[in-house]
Each structure stands twice: as structure tokens, then as C-alpha cells.
């Protein structure tokens, strides 16, 4: 069994209390080669990426974030091209809405919320990544949806496992000073709130296996192929 498929709670894994302070945030869904991705950003930066964000999955993710962040998402624009409205949780902000607001000449126009700016930049860099142009994300990240050991491991991954490389679960545990925590590393990867950007697809089994992946093994193979770690599929 791979480390990421391990479900037994490790003592390092602590349940995270839901936030009680209301925070401004915005979200959007974008089509990608691995299916629709939901991106959500706060005033601090990108906070969550959700795989397979078809309508039902997106609505559930928005509801969870509304509870965690203590506020409905900001309706930066109610009718911009590409926006994905939620039935009960406001309207998705879009890259176009932030860009449009930034370019307005009206002296009395409302300032663009920082969450919308962070969202627009995240969309731009994610689209550039899938186009093969971006090799390293330079986004502001909001780490508030993870904590403790999980956050330590994810920050190590983000900082020191670059595009086109992989790392083993055990090696990552060693890097954070927890040599007995390979399975806990798998749990941390499975709970990563920022996949693709914080590249848990680069974590593999020490014996050469691909390991598990919350977004599905085909998604993991596609991402590793995009980065040149695996050969591109023939069809």
C-alpha cells in the first residue's frame, strides 16, 4: 500500500478548527488538460485548488470554503465571460473581471479586491503552466487551510522540489526531520489544499512506483508527463 493511500491517523495529524474570522475571498473554475480546476483566493493569496470541479463538486467546495473562511465569496463581477456562478454561494470571480476592473478609467470606480487580483494571477500562471511556459509558480499563497506537520511538509515540497523532479515519501519525511513519518507524508499529500501549485504529484514511492494521488492516478501521470518525468502518452 502506498503512503498516500494510508488512512490511519498519525499522531502528527491534528484536526484543524474551522476559522471564525470572516475573510474576503473569490473563486473561479477553469478548464485544463486534467479537467476543470476550481481556484479560490483570499486577500493573502491562493488558498485552494480543487480537481474535477464539475458543477456538483464546485458547489460543495464553495460551501466548505464559505464555512471555513466565515463569509460568502465576493461577487467581483456578476456576468463576466467564463464566470461560474454558484446556486447558493455568490458568483465566481474571474481573471477577466479583475483585469477589467484594473483597466477602467473611471475615477470613482471601486478598487479591485486583493482576493480578485490574487485569483486573476493564479489563473494566469496555471494556464501558463499547462501551456508549457511556466516552470515555477510565483504566487502569494494562503496556507491557512493546512497546519502543523502537514503545512511543514507542503512548504518543504513547494520550496525545494522543482518542476521536472520527484521526491520519495521517505526522503520528504527526512527533509523535515521526521524520518519515521513517511506514511504521515502521504496523508499530508492527500490533504494538500493547493495541488498543482504545491506539487504533490511530484511525490512518489521510494521503490519507483508512482504512488497514490487525490486527483486520480491518470491526473498524476498527466502532470508528470507535462513536466517530462514520464513519457507523454501515445494516445
Amino acid at each position: 500500500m502506498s503512503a498516500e493511500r494510508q488512512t490511519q491517523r498519525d499522531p502528527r495529524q491534528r484536526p484543524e478548527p474551522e476559522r471564525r474570522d470572516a475573510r474576503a475571498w473569490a473563486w473561479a473554475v477553469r478548464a485544463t488538460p486534467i479537467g476543470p480546476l476550481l481556484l479560490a483566493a483570499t486577500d493573502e493569496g491562493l488558498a485552494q485548488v480543487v480537481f474535477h470541479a464539475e458543477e456538483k463538486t464546485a458547489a460543495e467546495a464553495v460551501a466548505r470554503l464559505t464555512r471555513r473562511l466565515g463569509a460568502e465569496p465576493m461577487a467581483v463581477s456578476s456576468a463576466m465571460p467564463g464566470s461560474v456562478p454558484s446556486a447558493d454561494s455568490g458568483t465566481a470571480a474571474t481573471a477577466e473581471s479583475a483585469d477589467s476592473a484594473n483597466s477602467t478609467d473611471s475615477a470613482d470606480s471601486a478598487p479591485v479586491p486583493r482576493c480578485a487580483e490574487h485569483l486573476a494571477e493564479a489563473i494566469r500562471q496555471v494556464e501558463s503552466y499547462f501551456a508549457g511556459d511556466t516552470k515555477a509558480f510565483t504566487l502569494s499563497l494562503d496556507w491557512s487551510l493546512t497546519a502543523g506537520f502537514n503545512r511543514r511538509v507542503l512548504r518543504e515540497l513547494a520550496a525545494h522540489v522543482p518542476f521536472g523532479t520527484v521526491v520519495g515519501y521517505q526522503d520528504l519525511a527526512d527533509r523535515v526531520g521526521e524520518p519515521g513519518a513517511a506514511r504521515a507524508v502521504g496523508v499530508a499529500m492527500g490533504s494538500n489544499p493547493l495541488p498543482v501549485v504545491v506539487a504533490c504529484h511530484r511525490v512518489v514511492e521510494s521503490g519507483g512506483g508512482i504512488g497514490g494521488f487525490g486527483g486520480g492516478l491518470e491526473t498524476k501521470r498527466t502532470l508528470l508527463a507535462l513536466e517530462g518525468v514520464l513519457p507523454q502518452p501515445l494516445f
Side-chain angles (χ1 to χ4, degrees):
M1 180 180 294
S2 74
E4 192 162 341
R5 288 195 287 268
Q6 175 71 18
T7 58
Q8 183 178 356
R9 180 171 292 278
D10 186 274
R12 301 171 189 83
Q13 314 295 325
R14 299 178 183 175
E16 299 170 36
E18 294 198 351
R19 296 184 67 99
R20 299 187 183 277
D21 51 325
R23 303 174 66 201
W25 66 287
W27 63 280
V29 172
R30 281 294 182 274
T32 76
I34 57 172
L37 289 181
L38 182 148
L39 295 90
T42 67
D43 286 348
E44 294 179 28
L46 184 68
Q48 187 155 54
V49 177
V50 178
F51 289 121
H52 312 305
E54 288 84 8
E55 184 176 356
K56 182 175 184 293
T57 299
E60 290 171 347
V62 169
R64 285 195 303 272
L65 281 165
T66 298
R67 292 192 298 270
R68 290 294 303 275
L69 299 175
E72 298 287 339
M74 296 189 68
V76 176
S77 173
S78 61
M80 292 301 299
S83 64
V84 183
S86 165
D88 299 311
S89 300
T91 303
T94 65
E96 294 94 337
S97 64
D99 292 343
S100 173
N102 275 327
S103 62
T104 182
D105 293 327
S106 173
D108 59 352
S109 61
V112 180
R114 281 194 300 160
C115 60
E117 293 179 339
H118 287 312
L119 180 62
E121 181 60 17
I123 291 170
R124 187 190 70 77
Q125 290 194 31
V126 166
E127 289 179 342
S128 177
Y129 168 81
F130 282 110
D133 298 325
T134 289
K135 302 297 190 293
F137 291 102
T138 56
L139 296 168
S140 297
L141 300 179
D142 179 344
W143 293 94
S144 64
L145 298 182
T146 186
F149 177 80
N150 288 4
R151 185 186 294 188
R152 284 170 52 208
V153 172
L154 291 170
R155 291 184 76 111
E156 172 66 24
L157 174 66
H160 299 297
V161 184
F163 183 100
T165 67
V166 294
V167 64
Y169 295 100
Q170 182 61 60
D171 187 15
L172 202 49
D174 292 342
R175 292 189 189 194
V176 296
E178 298 278 1
R183 293 184 185 276
V185 167
V187 174
M189 297 304 104
S191 65
N192 178 13
L194 292 162
V196 179
V197 174
V198 177
C200 50
H201 59 274
R202 297 175 190 156
V203 185
V204 298
E205 294 177 349
S206 301
I210 193 172
F213 195 59
L217 291 182
E218 191 58 38
T219 297
K220 187 169 188 174
R221 291 189 187 98
T222 299
L223 292 170
L224 290 174
L226 174 69
E227 298 188 5
V229 176
L230 294 179
Q232 292 284 351
L234 297 177
F235 53 86

